[in-house]
Amino acid sequence: MRKLFIIAGAALLLASCAKQTQPFQPLVLSAVQEGDGAVSKTSLSDTSVHWSAGDQVAAFVGITPHTSTGTEIVSETQAKFTFSDLSADASVSYAVYPASAAVGTHEGGAAVSVPSEQTAVPDSFGEGAAVCIAKGDASPMVFRNVCGFLAFTFKDSDAASIASIRIMANEPMTGQADVHWNSGDPTVEPSSVKSLNAVKLSGTFESGKTYYVAVFPRASYTGLTIKITKKDGYVSTYTNPGTLTLARKGNMVIARNLALKPVGGNWAEKDPAYIGSSEVVIPVGKVGENFYLIQNTYTNSTPPAASPAPANLADVGAGYKWNVSVSGTVFQLYPKEETGRWLNCSSTSGSVKNCMAVDEGNYFNRKYFTWDAACHVLTSDSYDARYLSYKDNAWYGETFPASGSYPAASFSFYVQVP
């Protein structure tokens, strides 16, 4: 009996070792890019998106996104992506390019994020801007474009002087959206609380080149506005009252030979990041078709707003004039010629709206602001961002940019022309 027991035990041990020596087989997805009508990632001279070394995609298994760990370029339009944390038999529902754009899943598709701030690339668009989605029940998986593309050129003599350009509309253009696969012709449903009505393109601009931004496709964009910021901070603004239709995969030139406007008159618009501490500035917030100023008087509640803002800024009183203190990418707003009081937000979280004040409160971490792609003014710290929002002739702090009750204003900053 003892001998038989030993032999049986040895057989079990050998069987166990055999199981442990089976090599792990990682998941490898074969991927191709959508055919005719797709926009190239590296060039706009053809109709195919070109994969490149270092590309990563996110594959959803259940509700969890997994980022690819290896890339094999088979051809310009075909690649293989390896996932070292997934086994070869893993069931993928959807995949998203780039991996950084993947937010989550929903029935029939995935939630993605199209960047609101993109990098200028001559005759193309920024890395990671062209978001794509693929369904996981095919091999190879076909990645289909989510976005449409807006293009523009600059006047040759002005191109090198430009720091950034913003394109804005009344409707969501970038940010988070639910993408529905829709039998291979994806449709986009922007998030009501995590999307922006704008896109910003920054970088080095060259004469004779065309520049592209990726935005949500839409049957009707209205209120199109283009803001060009010069390297000295002055802003040139153009508007178009017409309606723009942009199809998925669409490639539309919306402006040719954009030019910088001369700085003249008494007041001119300037990016707050370029405003000197001694310059007097008048912030003007636009909500719908109305313009409002921010009162700088001492208050422990919401600062009042002037409605409407005077057409001639020379008539604006001292109670609506400010100074700006800039530190890196953030700024503070002080009443003119004062440093002991500042615009601040007293709330860090929750649903409290009336948290904006102009005082010397202890909420020093909430006095730093930034100016985003849609020209919203929002707090910049470790807490939930508060957007400077308007209601009933007063300014409030809202936790997201789009609210039916407390709409965030789109701000312009005006300084006296030297």
Side-chain angles (χ1 to χ4, degrees):
M1 292 293 295
R2 179 183 295 271
K3 186 175 181 181
L4 291 174
F5 176 78
I6 292 174
I7 293 173
L12 287 172
L13 180 61
L14 288 172
S16 175
C17 290
K19 288 182 180 179
Q20 290 180 357
T21 58
Q22 290 292 327
F24 173 76
Q25 297 293 326
L27 175 67
V28 178
L29 294 181
S30 293
V32 296
Q33 285 290 353
E34 189 172 14
D36 291 345
V39 179
S40 167
K41 189 180 72 168
T42 57
S43 170
L44 292 173
S45 61
D46 57 32
T47 58
S48 298
V49 175
H50 294 175
W51 296 112
S52 61
D55 278 346
Q56 291 181 303
V57 300
F60 284 96
V61 176
I63 62 172
T64 303
H66 297 260
T67 299
S68 60
T69 54
T71 305
E72 178 189 348
I73 305 300
V74 179
S75 68
E76 290 180 334
T77 59
Q78 186 173 0
K80 292 182 178 180
F81 295 95
T82 299
F83 296 80
S84 59
D85 62 336
L86 292 175
S87 62
D89 60 354
S91 178
V92 175
S93 57
Y94 291 93
V96 171
Y97 168 82
S100 58
V103 175
T105 60
H106 61 82
E107 185 176 357
V112 305
S113 182
V114 175
S116 298
E117 300 202 13
Q118 301 176 19
T119 302
V121 177
D123 295 326
S124 190
F125 48 85
E127 184 77 15
V131 178
C132 301
I133 186 174
K135 201 170 188 297
D137 59 357
S139 183
M141 298 173 68
V142 180
F143 279 78
R144 302 188 183 277
N145 284 300
V146 167
C147 300
F149 300 84
L150 301 178
F152 46 88
T153 65
F154 294 108
K155 184 179 178 181
D156 285 354
S157 59
D158 289 343
S161 300
I162 294 169
S164 65
I165 182 170
R166 286 173 167 85
I167 301 175
M168 307 165 66
N170 293 328
E171 297 79 22
M173 302 186 84
T174 56
Q176 188 170 316
D178 287 340
V179 179
H180 306 276
W181 180 246
N182 190 36
S183 301
D185 185 17
T187 59
V188 178
E189 182 182 354
S191 166
S192 62
V193 298
K194 295 183 179 179
S195 60
L196 285 182
N197 294 9
V199 58
K200 179 183 178 183
L201 190 68
S202 302
T204 300
F205 297 91
E206 304 174 21
S207 62
K209 301 296 184 181
T210 303
Y211 293 88
Y212 298 79
V213 291
V215 298
F216 300 144
R218 193 174 187 92
S220 177
Y221 276 118
T222 62
L224 195 69
T225 299
I226 297 175
K227 286 180 175 283
I228 310 170
T229 299
K230 194 178 174 183
K231 288 182 178 178
D232 61 7
Y234 285 103
V235 178
S236 299
T237 301
Y238 294 89
T239 59
N240 186 334
T243 298
L244 172 69
T245 298
L246 182 65
R248 184 182 74 84
K249 301 188 297 180
N251 178 1
M252 180 178 295
V253 177
I254 59 171
R256 296 187 186 276
N257 297 322
L258 282 168
L260 296 167
K261 295 181 179 180
V263 178
N266 294 322
W267 294 83
E269 186 178 354
K270 200 172 186 180
D271 186 319
Y274 296 81
I275 297 175
S277 59
S278 62
E279 290 186 272
V280 176
V281 59
I282 301 176
V284 180
K286 184 175 185 291
V287 181
E289 297 303 316
N290 298 316
F291 297 87
Y292 304 93
L293 306 181
I294 309 173
Q295 189 171 323
N296 63 32
T297 54
Y298 188 99
T299 175
N300 286 316
S301 60
T302 54
S307 172
N312 185 356
L313 293 178
D315 296 336
V316 173
Y320 299 97
K321 294 181 178 179
W322 298 78
N323 290 133
V324 175
S325 175
V326 180
S327 177
T329 60
V330 299
F331 61 90
Q332 302 171 52
L333 283 170
Y334 295 91
K336 179 188 173 185
E337 297 178 350
E338 295 188 35
T339 56
R341 297 187 290 119
W342 49 80
L343 181 67
N344 68 79
C345 178
S346 61
S347 179
T348 58
S349 62
S351 59
V352 178
K353 310 293 185 181
N354 58 338
C355 62
M356 287 293 172
V358 185
D359 56 28
E360 77 286 15
N362 294 323
Y363 308 103
F364 59 91
N365 284 328
R366 309 243 76 188
K367 68 180 180 180
Y368 296 100
F369 296 90
T370 189
W371 196 48
D372 72 3
C375 295
H376 297 131
V377 170
L378 63 151
T379 55
S380 180
D381 50 46
S382 59
Y383 303 107
D384 291 340
R386 290 279 180 168
Y387 292 77
L388 198 54
S389 303
Y390 173 84
K391 184 181 180 183
D392 297 334
N393 293 321
W395 293 107
Y396 297 80
E398 179 61 285
T399 52
F400 46 87
S403 168
S405 303
Y406 297 81
S410 176
F411 275 89
S412 298
F413 296 81
Y414 292 88
V415 299
Q416 290 180 295
V417 177

